[in-house]
Amino acid sequence: MKLHVKVIPSSSKDTIAGWLEHCLKIKVQAPAEKGKANKAVIRLLEKTLELPRGSIEISGGSTSTRKMLEIKSEDDNLVNKKLRDIYKP
């Protein structure tokens, strides 16, 4: 499944801030340098969605604040439910 995210690097804490239209807003402490913020986003989402390591990849926008993520899961419906239940748009 694909997920659009907007990343705010160098924030005070790692958190999922909620929905910004059809885009999930994610704040991470890591700076936007050498892929640090990208790695932090992936770690945060894998932990939040209870997915194994390596389940999420950046498929577009790796150098942009707006990214497209590819989530590999055996149950896309469960991932969608977790996103809806925790962070209501």
Side-chain angles (χ1 to χ4, degrees):
M1 87 180 258
K2 296 196 182 293
L3 177 66
H4 294 272
V5 297
K6 174 160 178 50
V7 178
I8 311 298
S10 302
S11 294
S12 60
K13 63 181 181 174
D14 291 349
T15 186
I16 297 178
W19 291 96
L20 185 64
E21 295 183 21
H22 299 292
C23 188
L24 191 60
K25 187 175 178 182
I26 301 175
K27 295 180 177 183
V28 293
Q29 290 178 317
E33 60 184 34
K34 299 180 184 175
K36 292 177 184 177
N38 290 344
K39 289 176 187 170
V41 166
I42 289 170
R43 276 194 311 272
L44 178 61
L45 277 175
E46 286 175 342
K47 181 180 176 185
T48 302
L49 299 174
E50 300 171 337
L51 294 170
R53 197 168 191 161
S55 298
I56 300 175
E57 301 180 344
I58 296 175
S59 60
S62 63
T63 60
S64 171
T65 59
R66 294 203 180 249
K67 303 179 186 311
M68 171 74 74
L69 303 180
E70 181 72 34
I71 301 174
K72 297 175 186 145
S73 168
E74 292 182 16
D75 191 350
D76 287 346
N77 290 328
L78 181 59
V79 172
N80 278 323
K81 182 180 181 330
K82 287 179 182 179
L83 287 169
R84 276 194 318 270
D85 288 350
I86 300 170
Y87 309 101
K88 301 201 184 287

